[in-house]
Amino acid sequence: MKWFSSRTARKAFAVCAPICLAAAVASACTAVDESTSIDGGAPGPAPTASISGKDIGELVEKLSEAPEGSMSGYSREEFPHWDTNKPEHGFGDEFAQYSRCTSREVMMLRDAVGTVTLDPKTCDLKVGKDGGWRDAYGFLDSKTGKLKEYKFMTDPAKVDAEHIVALAEAWRSGANKLDEDTRRRIANDAINLEASDPSANRSKGDQDAANYLPPGSFRCVYLERYITVKVKYGLSVDPAEHGALRTAVADCVSRGEFR
């Protein structure tokens, strides 16, 4: 479910986003501390950033600012996926044996908790009694505005492969001018993929960082990866998005979320 019925309304909201984000982050993080996961498990994961506060600030300033482009000519087929697992997709040596499997299947193995295996020959995922996927995004209750319990999923078919920089957003940010091979890499890049709860994924849709950031514990790592993907592929940010990123990064830095 998207927050806005039109792109015009979404952009109007985006003007206020840099001012509101810091308060939203603090509120969401308080909710995270109070939240417990379903099925009696541990709270949702709290991934740690791999970059320093200084480096993430410098990365934000490397972003190219430009007005957001149109959706003319866009389709998901312009971003070929799912590709087989190749070194260029960045999953690392520990997943090299799964070269027959797709980037989605390898992402599912990478992001699993408990006993989950991937057959390197058949690429079949098997989930043990303690295995599954715990959503890291978090999802706000529409009635209370509070963070819901982190969802634990045991059926691979009910887990979304979330693109951190949505493919439509990448298209509007300059990917429409890139060649198909580069768009293929955007769609299959390990940095740009994360297993998520479908409800959390739908709440994001194709929105950029001016209009959506995860309300849960994944927010600061999401920021690092979102910015990294945009810089890596030369994708632009519009002014509202750039301001929102600066504000959200500054809040994460102030809370010591970056090493």
Side-chain angles (χ1 to χ4, degrees), residues 204-216:
K204 171 187 172 179
D206 67 354
Q207 299 177 96
D208 65 21
N211 296 310
Y212 174 88
L213 287 173

Side-chain angles (χ1 to χ4, degrees), residues 7-57:
R7 295 201 56 75
T8 301
R10 285 164 52 186
K11 285 302 172 185
F13 174 82
V15 173
C16 301
I19 300 171
C20 300
L21 268 172
V25 172
S27 175
C29 289
T30 299
V32 170
D33 292 338
E34 297 173 350
S35 174
T36 57
S37 63
I38 64 172
D39 299 332
T48 56
S50 62
I51 194 170
S52 70
K54 177 178 181 293
D55 289 342
I56 190 66

Side-chain angles (χ1 to χ4, degrees), residues 101-238:
C101 305
T102 67
S103 55
R104 186 189 192 282
E105 291 160 342
V106 175
M107 176 216 67
M108 292 288 286
L109 179 63
R110 180 198 66 182
D111 294 351
V113 296
T115 306
V116 176
T117 60
L118 179 64
D119 189 311
K121 294 182 179 179
T122 66
C123 298
D124 289 333
L125 278 164
K126 291 185 178 180
V127 184
K129 290 183 178 180
D130 64 336
W133 293 265
R134 192 172 300 283
D135 176 62
Y137 280 66
F139 188 68
L140 296 178
D141 188 303
S142 60
K143 294 181 179 179
T144 65
K146 294 182 178 181
L147 194 69
K148 288 186 175 182
E149 294 176 334
Y150 286 95
K151 186 174 182 179
F152 189 78
M153 301 158 283
T154 58
D155 182 352
K158 295 181 179 179
V159 179
D160 271 9
E162 151 72 355
H163 286 98
I164 289 178
V165 175
L167 302 184
E169 167 58 22
W171 182 265
R172 296 190 297 263
S173 302
N176 61 321
K177 299 176 183 177
L178 301 175
D179 58 51
E180 186 178 84
D181 185 61
T182 303
R183 292 197 295 268
R184 176 183 60 82
R185 288 188 284 115
I186 292 171
N188 294 278
D189 195 320
I191 299 172
N192 201 29
L193 293 172
E194 182 72 18
S196 76
D197 168 20
S199 295
N201 193 9
R202 303 298 184 273
S203 72
K204 171 187 172 179
D206 67 354
Q207 299 177 96
D208 65 21
N211 296 310
Y212 174 88
L213 287 173
S217 59
F218 188 53
R219 179 183 291 257
C220 297
V221 173
Y222 178 97
L223 283 166
E224 176 187 347
R225 289 167 65 179
Y226 184 98
I227 295 164
T228 297
V229 169
K230 286 231 165 179
V231 171
K232 181 177 181 179
Y233 294 102
L235 302 175
S236 63
V237 293
D238 63 41

